Amino acid sequence: MQAVRNPRWQAVFFLALVAIVLTALLGGFRQAAPKVVPTYAAGARVSSKALAVQPLQAWLSSRNPQGYADANTHEDFLVLEANVENLTRLSNNWYLGSDLRWLTNKDDQTGTKPSIIYLADDNSLFESLQPHLPTRVLLTWKIPPGHAVSEPMRWGLLGRKFVEKTFLTTESGWLPDGAVATLKLSVTDRRAPAAAAQ
Amino acid sequence: MNTIPRANENSWWRRQRLWLLGALLLGAWALLMPYREAWQGYARTHPMQAIDVAAGKSVAYEHAQWRLLNVTERDVPGQREDAMVLVARFELVMDADAEATRLDRCRGRISDASGRVWSNDSFGLLAVKHTLPASCGSGLGADFKTIQAQPGKPWLFEQVYQVPRGIDPKTLRPEIFLAWPEYEPVGRYLRFSQPE
Amino acid sequence: MRWPGWRSLLWVTAGLILIVALRKGELDYAGKLAPLATPGELKQRIVARNFALTVDGFRLAHAYRIAGADAQAAPRVLSTPGVWVSVVLKLEALREPGLLNARIRTRDGSIYQANGDARPRARGVNLSGVEVAPGLPATGAFFFEMPPAELPGAHLQVYWGGLTPTDMDSLIDVDLGTGARSSDALAAQTVAEIDLRP
């Protein structure tokens, strides 16, 4: 406790107190307002800086784009058709598979990644996006049977920011940068009538 | 005191010689040990050091006796014109404590005198009809039942390679390598010379 | 605290300047592990560490006609949002068997990875996934999808092994010779369809 009597330490404690009071007065300890993420409709082109997405239409189907139904689980497929473009300089399949997620309900904050992605031209499996080459793709999600399907459906797009040299390893890369947009589309039900009625 | 004492009776270097020697040895150790570890790790899964086997002789490797029987050329329809298919036959006798499933992980290659290598056709892409099991420890016998090498009994198997035409097949040497060895030093592999 | 002296201060400052300069001048992570490039020209046999190649040339097309999925299926037409670039070459392994991969590097540094063996599925022509062994060269083509605007100044890069070049291993860089041509000439050179069927 000798430290408290030392005038230098007293000055330090006093300055700390002043800093805390000032921060409180300026509102530093208040709860941060949640980030508002803008919502877009079909046809709008949204960019996450690494990926540009222009959702076109969405539908529900009991068959996947290659025409096969899931014989074992009888799950339905949610298909989102979109024009996507790789805005980075390296061909890859990373961002399309992980940054555009389906928000299953209103409170879903993380979303689900697509299960399989197809090329819309010929329904073949998507391999990777070439830089600056807009491609039409079909992203599919499996809907568990009995899942309450709300209309319209929402998808979330995660943003990325380019880092030239990371601090620790000096690698360069596209790091996640929070949610950037919500896409809201109405979904057509193309399932067989018997299934839809359940 | 801004100056460094100079030219003392006992210079700083002499006084610190033991510490400096220690630092030198430690530095050398710090450079050599990671290199050795990396080499060991690599040799665990890559053939690095050959055990040359004279023609017709058998050799002990991973608790089994290995012998090359012969290498013959096989005519395979639909083959590319500049290639030929060779089939090497081996005889293996496992020791009492060896396991057939372990030996199954063997990798086969064939090499020429200059060090070029060709892989064994482990995926069966060459569509060669096998008369002997294709793996070092087990295979499909008559009526598609799995048969295994038994300790003490000779086990015959064959390996298939596709090599360029124009090389004298007699100069090629079949090789066998077992990764993650249990008994041998890491990186050792067998290189068989062909019987005349 | 004792005054350490001007000479010590000078040494410390010199040391700090050296540390900062060395750190700033250091290559970044990718630069340190970059493959060793061997440059080459068209129609020339270029030798790398354990493989060699001879590039014949390249062809541009808007679509490919390929065989259907099985013997009964009708032939399919494979189109692309950009333009199809096929680079015809002969690959040789020099020491051991293995796979070779290719990519195109454009003037602005974008990387276009060669398509896999499924797009286009043309056995005997598509070199993706084809193993090469010493003395048994493979002739065929690598296929790329690119925006036509990125063609001038494109370089083909071929390397041994997986999807990305192995650290500090050999890489062959061939100038495809598109730099000299104008985009009109390249567009005129692009045929409507190439038949890849045997």
Side-chain angles (χ1 to χ4, degrees), chain A residues 88-91 119 121-122 124 127-128 130-136 164-165 167-172, chain C residues 23-24 26 28-29 32 76 78-82 108-113 115-116 118-119 145-147 150:
Chain A
T88 70
R89 300 228 296 244
L90 184 62
S91 54
L119 293 173
D121 264 347
D122 54 359
S124 59
E127 276 183 21
S128 81
Q130 306 291 348
H132 316 302
L133 199 64
T135 317
R136 232 164 23 107
E164 191 79 51
K165 269 191 184 188
F167 186 65
L168 207 57
T169 57
T170 68
E171 291 173 83
S172 66
Chain C
R23 187 92 173 122
K24 279 231 151 69
E26 198 177 25
D28 65 343
Y29 187 79
K32 286 180 197 167
R76 296 201 293 132
L78 212 59
S79 58
T80 175
D108 68 347
S110 297
I111 302 277
Y112 291 84
Q113 196 69 35
N115 281 5
R119 190 176 162 81
E145 294 178 69
M146 295 174 58
E150 302 256 358

Side-chain angles (χ1 to χ4, degrees), chain B residues 142-159:
Chain B
D143 47 270
F144 298 104
K145 277 229 211 53
T146 315
I147 44 172
Q148 269 192 355
Q150 302 293 326
K153 298 207 183 63
W155 166 262
L156 297 174
F157 66 97
E158 62 187 15
Q159 308 239 297

Side-chain angles (χ1 to χ4, degrees), chain B residues 42 46 109 116-119, chain C residues 35-36 38 47-53 91-103 113 129-138 142 157-173:
Chain B
Y42 188 77
H46 293 81
R109 305 190 313 182
R116 293 191 301 172
V117 293
W118 291 266
S119 279
Chain C
L36 307 166
T38 308
V47 180
R49 176 182 72 86
N50 58 342
F51 69 99
L53 57 77
L91 294 172
E92 306 167 52
L94 300 176
R95 308 222 306 236
E96 71 260 293
L99 291 171
L100 286 147
N101 254 294
R103 62 187 195 183
Q113 196 69 35
V130 170
E131 193 175 78
V132 205
L136 300 169
F142 281 111
Q157 295 189 329
V158 182
Y159 47 90
W160 189 264
L163 206 60
T164 47
T166 314
D167 298 336
M168 296 180 278
D169 201 355
S170 238
L171 176 142
I172 290 185
D173 188 301

Side-chain angles (χ1 to χ4, degrees), chain B residues 96-162:
Chain B
D97 54 357
E99 274 173 32
T101 41
R102 259 206 77 238
L103 296 180
D104 254 346
R105 290 184 322 194
C106 70
R107 284 184 353 219
R109 305 190 313 182
I110 197 166
S111 65
D112 70 358
S114 66
R116 293 191 301 172
V117 293
W118 291 266
S119 279
N120 161 42
D121 177 33
S122 39
F123 294 117
L125 298 171
L126 292 172
V128 165
K129 196 164 178 312
H130 279 282
T131 44
L132 286 179
S135 186
C136 302
S138 65
L140 286 178
D143 47 270
F144 298 104
K145 277 229 211 53
T146 315
I147 44 172
Q148 269 192 355
Q150 302 293 326
K153 298 207 183 63
W155 166 262
L156 297 174
F157 66 97
E158 62 187 15
Q159 308 239 297
V160 181
Y161 322 94
Q162 182 186 46

Side-chain angles (χ1 to χ4, degrees), chain A residues 98-135:
Chain A
S98 76
D99 288 353
L100 183 57
R101 303 189 181 184
W102 173 43
L103 303 168
T104 47
N105 54 51
K106 263 205 327 194
D107 308 312
D108 192 347
Q109 290 295 310
T110 44
T112 346
K113 300 186 200 180
S115 7
I116 310 183
I117 308 178
Y118 304 86
L119 293 173
D121 264 347
D122 54 359
N123 295 324
S124 59
L125 284 176
F126 159 75
E127 276 183 21
S128 81
L129 279 181
Q130 306 291 348
H132 316 302
L133 199 64
T135 317

